Amino acid sequence: MYKIAAVQLSPVFLSVEASLKKAGMMCESLDADLIVFPELVTSGYAFSNKDDVAAVAEPFPNGKSFRYMRDLSARHNASVVYGFPESDGDKYYNSAALVNPDGSHYLYRKTHLFYREKLFFSPGDTGLIVCPAKNKVPVGLMICFDWQFPEAARVLALNGAEIICHPSNLVLPWCQQAMLTRSLENRVFSITANRIGTEVIGSTSINFTGQSQITSPLGEIIQRLSPNLEEIAVAEINPEAARDKTVTEMNNLFGDRRPAFYTDILNPRQRQT
Ligand code: ACM
């Protein structure tokens, strides 16, 4: 069995040190193989301008957040996924990293930016990646609004992900339910680690919806947290259950696909045979 966890919290806006300390303290006694933290867990979300982002963004893997999470991963003997604002030259990305107890690490840059994120961040250029977590379990990374694009979870599943790790700062009301379908239509586990709390930009309040959750390949809720408390969802799963794509004895989720009919008629050059 494989123990997985979603840590739900409210980061300390614009304080990397305080946010990391809070994240670390929350899971001090947590025993898990894979721990997922929210999107931008090192910084908070409601940036007013690029200067705010610059104050908290870090290069990867040379930043203090990476070192903190690498140490946490080694101390807990757990793979850790966390979201952070990444700096690379004069660009910023809304990124997530996977760090393993042996120090191996992987980087994903958010593909589909949401709303005002487009003012600060460059669209991700890593593509949707599947990487080995502890015990070589293949996990796919996507961040928050990527849920709105079914292609994201599909590509991760097609590339072998058994668990989708989904650091989030959700503000719209639909994702938690949608992720049940993402799980079912791809027959994968998913871990949505969402944040809670409110942040303010000018006269606008941004409310984050919590309800972090762990879902099964049959689209079931294994765990779902509250909308407003700092807490941790933990579940024991068998990741290999996600390898079974059988729907009926005559139907296979991937074997029955008809990609020739899935092309975008506006982009006919994508047509496959
Ligand atoms: C979001 O993508 N943070 C809503």
Side-chain angles (χ1 to χ4, degrees):
M1 292 302 268
Y2 201 67
K3 208 164 171 188
I4 60 179
V7 182
Q8 173 168 295
L9 74 161
S10 176
V12 182
F13 186 52
L14 294 184
S15 175
V16 175
E17 225 140 87
S19 296
L20 287 172
K21 196 166 159 202
K22 192 170 186 180
M25 277 174 60
M26 262 192 83
C27 52
E28 210 161 51
S29 57
L30 177 63
D31 168 28
D33 299 300
L34 172 62
I35 303 171
V36 183
F37 289 102
E39 175 185 18
L40 297 172
V41 69
T42 66
S43 64
Y45 184 80
F47 303 118
S48 293
N49 50 51
K50 253 192 186 177
D51 289 345
D52 280 352
V53 180
V56 288
E58 301 175 72
F60 185 84
N62 297 318
K64 81 172 119 178
S65 297
F66 172 73
R67 287 192 293 276
Y68 188 93
M69 292 298 186
R70 183 193 57 199
D71 293 350
L72 190 144
S73 167
R75 205 163 58 246
H76 287 259
N77 189 27
S79 293
V80 173
V81 174
Y82 66 99
F84 68 105
E86 183 203 351
S87 59
D88 184 8
D90 59 358
K91 289 191 171 162
Y92 301 106
Y93 295 95
N94 183 341
S95 296
L98 165 71
V99 191
N100 289 324
D102 65 4
S104 58
H105 49 268
Y106 303 86
L107 177 71
Y108 168 63
R109 292 171 169 166
K110 187 174 184 177
T111 304
H112 305 98
L113 296 175
F114 179 70
Y115 197 42
R116 284 173 51 87
E117 292 169 29
K118 294 187 177 192
L119 304 178
F120 319 121
F121 294 116
S122 297
D125 57 1
T126 54
L128 292 145
I129 59 167
V130 177
C131 23
K134 182 181 169 184
N135 298 351
K136 305 275 182 285
V137 172
V139 304
L141 302 181
M142 60 185 227
I143 300 177
C144 204
F145 191 52
D146 285 331
W147 74 266
Q148 179 81 79
F149 303 85
E151 296 89 341
R154 176 63 106 205
V155 163
L156 293 174
L158 285 172
N159 284 313
E162 294 173 4
I163 305 171
I164 291 179
C165 298
H166 183 212
S168 294
N169 277 191
L170 293 161
V171 293
L172 301 176
W174 305 296
C175 172
Q176 287 87 344
Q177 280 308 109
M179 285 306 290
L180 305 187
T181 303
R182 297 290 167 276
S183 266
L184 177 66
E185 67 198 0
N186 293 295
R187 293 288 178 99
V188 292
F189 294 92
S190 77
I191 309 170
T192 297
N194 193 21
R195 62 160 291 175
I196 58 159
T198 300
E199 289 183 1
V200 176
I201 312 179
S203 57
T204 306
S205 283
I206 304 176
N207 299 307
F208 302 96
T209 60
Q211 300 170 85
S212 297
Q213 67 183 18
I214 296 171
T215 65
S216 80
L218 294 179
E220 302 146 328
I221 300 170
I222 301 176
Q223 289 280 338
R224 183 180 279 174
L225 297 179
S226 70
N228 53 6
L229 297 176
E230 296 193 319
E231 51 187 347
I232 303 178
V234 182
E236 283 202 76
I237 63 162
N238 172 14
E240 290 183 13
R243 293 182 194 169
D244 182 3
K245 306 298 184 189
T246 307
V247 181
T248 72
E249 61 186 23
M250 296 177 70
N251 294 99
N252 182 278
L253 193 60
F254 288 171
D256 283 0
R257 292 178 68 245
R258 307 286 308 276
F261 292 104
Y262 303 158
T263 48
D264 178 346
I265 58 170
L266 298 177
N267 294 290
R269 277 177 304 162
Q270 287 179 359
R271 185 168 281 277
Q272 305 163 39
T273 52

